Amino acid sequence: MIWKYTSKMMLKVWLVQVLVVFLITECIGELVDTCGVISPESPVIQSGSNFTAFCVLKEKCMSVYEVNASHIIWKVNRVLIPEEQYTVINATTSSVTFTNTGLLNVQLICNILAYGQIEMNVYGVRIQTGFPPEKPKNLNCVVKEGKKMLCQWDPGRETHLETNYTLKSEWATEKFDDCKAKPDTPTSCLVDYSPVYFVNIEVWVEAQNALGKVSSDHINFDPVDKVKPNPPRNLSVSNSEELSSILKLTWINPSIMNVMRLKYDIHYKTKDASTWSQIPPEDTATTRTSFTVQDLKPFTEYVFRIRCMKADGKGFWSDWSRDASGITYEARPSKAPSFWYKILSHTQDSRSAQLIWKALPPSEANGKILDYEVTLTRWKSCSQNYTVSDTNFTVNLTNDRYIATLAARNLVDKSDTSILTIPACDFQATHPVTDLKAYPKDNVLWVEWTPPNKAVRKYILEWCVLSDKSPCVPDWQQESGTIHRTYLRGKLMESKCYLITVTPVYGDGPGSPESTKAYLKQAPPSKGPTVRTKKVGKNEAVLEWDQLPVDVQNGFIRNYTIFYRTIIGNETAVNVDSSHTEYTLSSLTSDTLYMVRMTAYTDEGGKDGPEFTFTTPKFAQGEIEAIVVPVCLAFLLTTLLGVLFCFNKRDLIKKHIWPNVPDPSKSHIAQWSPHTPPRHNFNSKDQIYSDGNFTDVSVVEIEANDKKTFPEDLKSLDLFKKEKVSTEGHSSGIGGSSCMSSSRPSISSGDENESAQNTSSTVQYSTVVHSGYRHQVPSVQVFSRSESTQPLLDSEERPEDLQLVDNVDSGDGLLPQQQYFKQNCSQPKSSPDISHFESSKQVSSSNEEDFLRLKQQQISDPVSQSYGAEQMKMFQGVSTTDAFGFETETQAEKLETLGMEAALDEGMPKSYLPQTVRRGGYMPQ
Amino acid sequence: MQKNTSTLLQTYLQYQGSPFSDPGFSAPELQLSSLPPAAVPFKIWHALDDGERLSQAQGAFQALTQHLQLVGDDQSNLNPGSPILLAQLGVARLRAQGLLGNVAAIMNALGLPVPPEKDTIGVVPFGASAFERKCRGYVVTREYGHWTDRAVRDLALLKAKYPA
């Protein structure tokens, strides 16, 4: 039991011992169990100075980890410090030196390399840098009334360290408790004792941090000299019925007035003013509870405020009191109102006049105007009184002269009277003002004039906006008779034209009015002038435009500028005076598009009008006539002369132009076949001739033409074609042939030889054919074409058909042969025939086939044979040589293969004639 | 300061409860042996020279500052919930101290010897009853007023003698 107890006790003691030991070792271990220490322990360094830290290793560690001081490495914020900064002082101590340290707040760690390689922390310290406190400056204290003393100072530069500022204060006999500035307001401190006035106190401030301690200059003062009183309370304003120019202020002083005398600062202003006026300080330099402000305007609201301070000026001004306002009492209106009249209507023996006057401005009314007293005195008669509350009064007057007076009345009294003389009806106004000018200056419109040489009682200025849209509603103002310059006191608008009228008023009535125009501020016109042409000539254009309406002018139009340009050319500008409405642009180019626009300028700038486009004509007016008429006349004259000449020399011409064609009717052949009519005879003869000719030529052709006539061909080709054309519409072969012979010279008149040849050949042709016909009739039969002689006769037997065709084509087939020829010959000249020919040419290729078919028909069908014969006749009309020449040239191959048939092929389709003939020929059938 | 003394007296009495707070309370016969009475016949006061007057005031205010401190301590026990009274007592003590300083400065300026501060209370106050303490406070505040009045008279006289 005992043992047990003892052992229990023992256990307990042991446990306690163990616990104690454990705790001790725990605590000590934490504190002690480091391999070394850094000194200084918690360094605070002045920025910019040098600093050295030492790390001292413990022997135990050194042996355990096999290290010495040379194994120490230093780190700053886990960054290795260069080894140059290390110094191994002895086996256990290493130091690191920082030179010229900046502002830093870093962790400096001492490490060892255990066993030469394992890095171990030994000890760490935090380094703080900063500055010692500067001497606080500008220490000053203020005692707000009812509060404790507050002292402020300027702490100087930032120390970057925790710095304590302590405000110390003491009396000569006693020290007060320190006032420690709060960290967030290191520049001021509110002492915790009530200020004791009239006892001097000494105050200074001490600043202290890890790097030093410094105290400010001591200041010694009586707290009463540092007082900032409370502002006066309950400021009130009252006016005086006796004096309209004063207001009395009363207030309650702050309680500090028990301790010290006060002085005041009173500010006042009218209600709408923005700046305060000050009561002279010498008037308010003593303690008081009221003050009377003088020299105020009657019936005006004033605002006041007040503040106070110690009378000797030591200490501080209180804050401003709350504003208080009051209105001065009313006074008699200081001026008579402006007074004027208008005659509204005028009949034989009465007039309606409107008396008008201006409400007095508040500065002159000095109160609320209750009404106006108007008296009207007819000339040499008793006066009538009216009381009007409005500012105008309409009254009927006779034509006599009247004198009207006007006085404004307020609560206090009535004003002086304005006197106005309304002259009799027959009164002639005279003596106007002279040199009336109006000009803007300082944003108002000034009016200036030279007074007339007669005593002027007053001037009346009237003005209104000139506008096309609205009527002139005049405003007016009155000026005293002594001035000759004023500004318009109405609300004027910019860029509006004002018509200003100045009327001097004399004792016997108004003088003559004088007017001028002015702008308060000009602007560029809101619209430009629209320019248009009045007249456009070849080289000049007369432009015209309208004056701008007054509403868009926005100023005095000083000048215009006309810009004109061609579509590609440069713009040309012309300045035109504003008085013009027309301008002539000269030296323009004819037949050119011009663009013209116009700018109107006021003093402030210009505005473009719309662009106008016009084109100058190619010719001046009458130029065309001037050209055309003479030309026509000349032409007419020439023609006339030509005709005259021709007429005179018609025989000669006739001789030259028309070859002497033998009259077939007078030929022997005509008598050769007496049974047939002359025409028939002719035709048949012609046929015969053609036949003969044809055969004759054919013979020649066969013999030699193939080769011989080639040279001529090229020339004759055209002729040939034309001949064929010329022969178109002619049913008879003779027509064609004769035409050919006659037309040739006319076509190529320059080719005299050829024509001569042809003519001769024609002559020859008729003779040769004639003889050849008879002789060679049998030989013709050798050719298949010779069969056409028969149909030829057939056709001779049907002259009507031919004639019909004649009629159709030329319309004058019935004319005598002479004329017929003539016509034929002239035809080749005309172009329509050529086109005919060309169309026939086009047909030609297709007609070839037709012709072959025709050929067959000729063989098989007697009717067609006759038809073919007719065609043949046509063909025979053509010069055989030419025809062949043509054929050979164009279709030489065909000629070789087809022989004579080829000649037909070619000849037929080329001519238009055969077709018409064909038709003509067919119709009867 | 003068006005404040009467205010202090009123405030003091107001906080002491009956009979002190009764209107018109006055007990002029109460005196403290340690506090010299301010009441002095005019002739005697007038007969005093500047040095005597100032030294009497000096001595009185020295005693007053100590007594005001004592009353302040008493009242912080008796009336801990009346900061206005305590503050006024503190201010009064400070003012007395300030006046003391000023008087000392004047005496120095006049070349008079400043009497050293002495303990006028001693062990007397301890162990007093609440009523005794209230009475003591009353006397102190009353005498503070009286002495302030007298000091004002003293200084006014002095001021007249030494203009500026």
Side-chain angles (χ1 to χ4, degrees):
Chain A
M1 247 331 250
I2 290 172
W3 178 84
K4 201 178 181 183
Y5 177 75
T6 312
S7 66
K8 216 174 180 178
M9 282 285 286
M10 288 271 288
L11 187 68
K12 207 173 182 180
V13 168
W14 184 78
L15 272 174
V16 168
Q17 276 180 340
V18 164
L19 197 68
V20 166
V21 167
F22 180 74
L23 280 171
I24 287 170
T25 48
E26 272 292 290
C27 291
I28 293 173
E30 227 181 17
L31 291 170
V32 172
D33 197 17
T34 58
C35 264
V37 284
I38 295 177
S39 66
E41 184 76 30
S42 53
V44 178
I45 316 159
Q46 181 168 347
S47 182
S49 66
N50 296 341
F51 167 67
T52 303
F54 302 90
C55 187
V56 182
L57 296 180
K58 287 183 179 151
E59 298 283 348
K60 193 181 84 187
C61 264
M62 288 170 71
S63 57
V64 169
Y65 298 116
E66 299 169 12
V67 291
N68 58 36
S70 63
H71 293 103
I72 290 174
I73 53 171
W74 294 88
K75 284 190 170 180
V76 164
N77 282 357
R78 301 173 193 282
V79 177
L80 197 64
I81 299 173
E83 280 190 35
E84 297 85 66
Q85 290 177 241
Y86 304 168
T87 310
V88 178
I89 291 168
N90 57 35
T92 60
T93 308
S94 171
S95 73
V96 66
T97 302
F98 301 92
T99 55
N100 193 19
T101 49
L103 284 172
L104 37 103
N105 185 351
V106 293
Q107 207 173 29
L108 178 68
I109 300 166
C110 171
N111 298 293
I112 51 168
L113 289 173
Y115 310 112
Q117 52 192 357
I118 302 164
E119 196 177 302
M120 284 177 66
N121 285 1
V122 174
Y123 207 83
V125 294
R126 180 155 285 277
I127 303 176
Q128 281 185 298
T129 55
F131 296 99
E134 273 192 324
K135 185 176 170 181
K137 295 185 288 278
N138 303 331
L139 174 63
N140 204 357
C141 299
V142 57
V143 184
K144 286 186 182 164
E145 186 187 341
K147 292 181 179 168
K148 289 169 182 172
M149 188 169 70
L150 177 75
C151 290
Q152 291 175 295
W153 58 91
D154 177 3
R157 88 179 152 196
E158 168 69 49
T159 61
H160 302 284
L161 295 172
E162 191 187 321
T163 307
N164 293 319
Y165 292 89
T166 309
L167 183 76
K168 293 180 177 289
S169 51
E170 64 178 25
W171 276 342
T173 56
E174 186 169 339
K175 278 187 162 53
F176 293 102
D177 292 339
D178 289 346
C179 175
K180 293 191 190 310
K182 293 190 179 81
D184 54 330
T185 54
T187 63
S188 66
C189 193
L190 187 69
V191 298
D192 57 357
Y193 53 87
S194 300
V196 176
Y197 299 127
F198 307 113
V199 180
N200 279 16
I201 191 168
E202 192 160 296
V203 175
W204 70 97
V205 63
E206 280 183 2
Q208 185 172 23
N209 68 11
L211 292 173
K213 175 181 173 182
V214 66
S215 65
S216 72
D217 292 336
H218 293 220
I219 55 168
N220 193 311
F221 58 90
D222 184 341
V224 83
D225 291 336
K226 301 287 183 185
V227 167
K228 179 181 180 180
N230 288 328
R233 289 172 286 138
N234 294 8
L235 180 65
S236 64
V237 186
S238 56
N239 62 16
S240 156
E241 284 192 25
E242 286 76 35
L243 275 172
S244 58
S245 66
I246 62 164
L247 283 174
K248 189 181 180 190
L249 303 176
T250 53
W251 63 88
I252 297 173
N253 277 315
S255 55
I256 197 77
M257 71 167 285
N258 297 322
V259 175
M260 61 191 194
R261 285 196 296 273
L262 296 174
K263 66 173 183 178
Y264 304 90
D265 185 17
I266 300 174
H267 279 185
Y268 70 98
K269 63 173 187 173
T270 57
K271 194 184 181 217
D272 303 321
S274 56
T275 53
W276 294 90
S277 310
Q278 190 189 17
I279 303 285
E282 56 270 21
D283 295 347
T284 56
T286 54
T287 308
R288 55 172 70 230
T289 57
S290 66
F291 188 81
T292 301
V293 186
Q294 299 171 344
D295 292 333
L296 301 177
K297 289 182 216 152
F299 200 58
T300 309
E301 183 172 359
Y302 286 90
V303 181
F304 298 88
R305 63 180 184 182
I306 187 171
R307 61 179 177 172
C308 62
M309 75 179 294
K310 192 161 179 267
D312 59 5
K314 291 176 178 170
F316 304 89
W317 278 111
S318 71
D319 292 328
W320 285 106
S321 69
R322 297 169 94 175
D323 289 356
S325 63
I327 302 171
T328 48
Y329 198 68
E330 290 186 27
R332 176 179 182 244
S334 55
K335 269 189 178 177
S338 300
F339 193 23
W340 190 230
Y341 76 99
K342 284 189 280 192
I343 299 294
L344 299 176
S345 62
H346 193 194
T347 59
Q348 195 68 35
D349 50 359
S350 78
R351 321 176 259 180
S352 172
Q354 187 181 39
L355 303 176
I356 50 176
W357 55 90
K358 291 266 178 187
L360 287 167
S363 61
E364 292 171 358
N366 291 341
K368 188 174 187 296
I369 298 297
L370 303 172
D371 50 39
Y372 297 92
E373 284 182 16
V374 180
T375 66
L376 263 179
T377 312
R378 193 173 163 190
W379 183 238
K380 288 175 179 170
S381 172
C382 58
S383 62
Q384 287 172 287
N385 288 328
Y386 305 92
T387 301
V388 187
S389 57
D390 206 353
T391 57
N392 61 70
F393 179 55
T394 306
V395 66
N396 281 323
L397 306 176
T398 65
N399 287 338
D400 292 328
R401 179 178 155 184
Y402 282 83
I403 290 175
T405 65
L406 172 76
R409 197 173 64 83
N410 68 9
L411 199 62
V412 176
D413 200 356
K414 63 179 182 182
S415 69
D416 292 337
T417 53
S418 303
I419 300 166
L420 187 67
T421 303
I422 300 170
C425 226
D426 51 358
F427 178 79
Q428 285 297 317
T430 52
H431 294 88
V433 297
T434 49
D435 301 329
L436 178 63
K437 298 184 284 201
Y439 53 90
K441 190 184 167 192
D442 303 331
N443 218 22
V444 290
L445 204 50
W446 287 89
V447 185
E448 198 177 84
W449 62 88
T450 306
N453 51 2
K454 187 181 176 186
V456 179
R457 191 178 275 179
K458 64 184 183 185
Y459 293 101
I460 297 291
L461 277 75
E462 292 170 289
W463 68 90
C464 69
V465 176
L466 268 186
S467 170
D468 296 333
K469 294 171 195 155
S470 53
C472 172
V473 182
D475 198 353
W476 65 284
Q477 76 188 49
Q478 175 183 309
E479 295 296 336
S480 91
T482 55
I483 66 158
H484 53 92
R485 195 164 80 102
T486 186
Y487 64 91
L488 300 184
R489 278 186 281 275
K491 185 169 163 49
L492 303 187
M493 288 174 287
E494 292 183 356
S495 44
K496 292 281 182 198
C497 184
Y498 284 94
L499 178 69
I500 301 160
T501 306
V502 176
T503 311
V505 179
Y506 305 104
D508 57 349
S512 312
E514 196 67 22
S515 295
T516 187
K517 287 178 192 172
Y519 285 88
L520 178 62
K521 190 170 188 304
Q522 298 191 36
S526 40
K527 263 193 200 167
T530 306
V531 68
R532 57 187 180 272
T533 50
K534 189 180 183 187
K535 207 175 84 181
V536 180
K538 184 182 171 190
N539 294 117
E540 60 172 33
V542 180
L543 304 175
E544 64 168 1
W545 59 90
D546 296 325
Q547 296 278 18
L548 286 174
V550 71
D551 289 308
V552 302
Q553 281 184 10
N554 296 344
F556 295 113
I557 301 295
R558 299 300 185 193
N559 65 322
Y560 297 109
T561 303
I562 299 171
F563 298 95
Y564 65 96
R565 60 184 174 96
T566 60
I567 200 143
I568 45 157
N570 286 334
E571 199 164 58
T572 313
V574 187
N575 283 325
V576 185
D577 190 80
S578 61
S579 57
H580 295 139
T581 57
E582 200 174 288
Y583 184 79
T584 306
L585 296 178
S586 50
S587 57
L588 302 179
T589 319
S590 62
D591 194 24
T592 310
L593 185 73
Y594 277 94
M595 277 169 265
V596 62
R597 69 191 159 83
M598 207 166 153
T599 308
Y601 289 95
T602 66
D603 290 339
E604 292 298 317
K607 174 76 179 177
D608 281 350
E611 198 159 71
F612 182 80
T613 311
F614 66 88
T615 309
T616 49
K618 198 161 192 172
F619 301 104
Q621 205 173 16
E623 201 173 67
I624 297 170
E625 288 88 333
I627 295 168
V628 168
V629 169
V631 166
C632 290
L633 282 174
F635 181 74
L636 207 68
L637 208 68
T638 318
T639 317
L640 213 66
L641 283 172
V643 168
L644 217 65
F645 177 79
C646 289
F647 188 75
N648 284 339
K649 304 275 183 174
R650 68 180 186 278
D651 294 335
L652 196 69
I653 293 167
K654 202 168 160 186
K655 201 167 137 192
H656 271 283
I657 294 178
W658 293 301
N660 190 12
V661 180
D663 186 349
S665 61
K666 288 171 185 167
S667 71
H668 299 285
I669 299 168
Q671 286 141 19
W672 179 66
S673 157
H675 303 294
T676 53
R679 188 81 88 95
H680 286 210
N681 225 0
F682 167 69
N683 274 346
S684 63
K685 238 187 289 175
D686 212 23
Q687 300 285 28
I688 294 157
Y689 282 161
S690 351
D691 265 356
N693 185 14
F694 181 61
T695 44
D696 181 40
V697 173
S698 304
V699 173
V700 173
E701 188 184 85
I702 291 162
E703 285 170 356
N705 211 13
D706 261 69
K707 285 108 188 179
K708 268 187 193 170
T709 53
F710 268 134
E712 276 182 42
D713 289 342
L714 282 173
K715 263 183 205 165
S716 58
L717 175 62
D718 283 337
L719 298 171
F720 175 54
K721 289 171 185 172
K722 286 184 177 129
E723 280 160 353
K724 277 194 282 185
V725 169
S726 68
T727 55
E728 81 180 292
H730 298 286
S731 56
S732 65
I734 190 74
S737 61
S738 59
C739 187
M740 177 202 77
S741 54
S742 61
S743 66
R744 207 175 253 186
S746 63
I747 294 164
S748 52
S749 56
D751 208 343
E752 282 298 320
N753 290 335
E754 231 178 330
S755 65
Q757 265 185 342
N758 285 331
T759 334
S760 60
S761 75
T762 318
V763 177
Q764 203 176 22
Y765 147 83
S766 53
T767 50
V768 168
V769 166
H770 186 41
S771 56
Y773 173 71
R774 267 194 250 165
H775 293 296
Q776 293 186 4
V777 167
S779 68
V780 165
Q781 289 163 346
V782 176
F783 299 97
S784 60
R785 215 178 302 170
S786 64
E787 292 165 5
S788 63
T789 47
Q790 283 305 109
L792 182 74
L793 290 174
D794 287 347
S795 71
E796 279 175 14
E797 286 168 9
R798 288 191 293 271
E800 300 86 357
D801 298 342
L802 294 171
Q803 275 198 329
L804 182 72
V805 174
D806 248 357
N807 283 336
V808 169
D809 283 339
S810 60
D812 52 2
L814 294 174
L815 286 175
Q817 213 64 52
Q818 285 286 68
Q819 211 177 349
Y820 178 72
F821 273 113
K822 200 175 176 180
Q823 210 176 24
N824 272 340
C825 290
S826 66
Q827 267 179 342
K829 282 182 188 169
S830 58
S831 53
D833 290 340
I834 291 169
S835 69
H836 271 289
F837 161 68
E838 279 171 355
S839 66
S840 68
K841 199 178 170 188
Q842 285 168 354
V843 180
S844 65
S845 57
S846 60
N847 280 355
E848 271 181 354
E849 278 184 330
D850 291 344
F851 198 71
L852 282 171
R853 202 175 60 236
L854 195 81
K855 187 74 189 68
Q856 289 168 340
Q857 280 177 339
Q858 280 176 344
I859 296 162
S860 57
D861 193 355
V863 180
S864 64
Q865 266 185 0
S866 68
Y867 160 69
E870 265 186 28
Q871 285 181 330
M872 200 66 96
K873 271 187 269 172
M874 297 293 92
F875 194 69
Q876 282 162 353
V878 180
S879 159
T880 44
T881 47
D882 287 346
F884 273 103
F886 173 77
E887 286 160 14
T888 43
E889 194 213 358
T890 54
Q891 294 202 336
E893 288 171 344
K894 271 193 176 175
L895 219 159
E896 282 172 356
T897 52
L898 294 173
M900 280 308 292
E901 283 177 16
L904 281 171
D905 287 344
E906 282 304 300
M908 282 305 293
K910 280 249 164 73
S911 148
Y912 189 65
L913 177 69
Q915 289 173 339
T916 50
V917 170
R918 210 184 294 167
R919 249 188 281 146
Y922 259 104
M923 292 245 306
Q925 288 172 347
Chain B
M1 189 165 167
Q2 262 181 303
K3 194 175 180 182
N4 282 338
T5 57
S6 56
T7 313
L8 173 66
L9 183 60
Q10 294 303 320
T11 315
Y12 177 80
L13 294 177
Q14 196 183 319
Y15 279 98
Q16 304 312 314
S18 194
F20 300 99
S21 57
D22 294 345
F25 172 80
S26 174
E29 71 285 352
L30 274 175
Q31 286 295 333
L32 275 176
S33 59
S34 54
L35 194 64
V40 62
F42 176 75
K43 272 199 170 178
I44 296 171
W45 176 75
H46 201 261
L48 293 171
D49 67 8
D50 295 338
E52 283 168 331
R53 255 182 249 133
L54 285 174
S55 60
Q56 278 189 12
Q58 169 79 7
F61 274 98
Q62 276 186 3
L64 274 172
T65 52
Q66 290 168 28
H67 281 92
L68 282 169
Q69 185 72 63
L70 177 68
V71 175
D73 294 346
D74 289 344
Q75 289 302 318
S76 58
N77 286 332
L78 296 170
N79 281 311
S82 53
I84 293 173
L85 174 65
L86 295 177
Q88 283 194 6
L89 281 170
V91 169
R93 192 193 67 80
L94 261 183
R95 285 190 173 141
Q97 193 92 40
L99 185 64
L100 197 61
N102 284 358
V103 169
I106 291 166
M107 290 172 80
N108 271 331
L110 293 173
L112 299 171
V114 181
E117 197 163 341
K118 57 192 176 198
D119 183 14
T120 52
I121 299 175
V123 291
V124 177
F126 298 106
S129 67
F131 181 75
E132 281 172 337
R133 285 194 264 177
K134 283 183 182 177
C135 285
R136 191 167 63 197
Y138 163 68
V139 174
V140 169
T141 50
R142 191 194 63 196
E143 285 306 307
Y144 171 62
H146 290 171
W147 267 110
T148 307
D149 292 345
R150 185 172 158 180
V152 169
R153 268 185 289 155
D154 289 347
L155 293 173
L157 190 71
L158 208 60
K159 194 181 171 188
K161 274 188 189 167
Y162 304 94

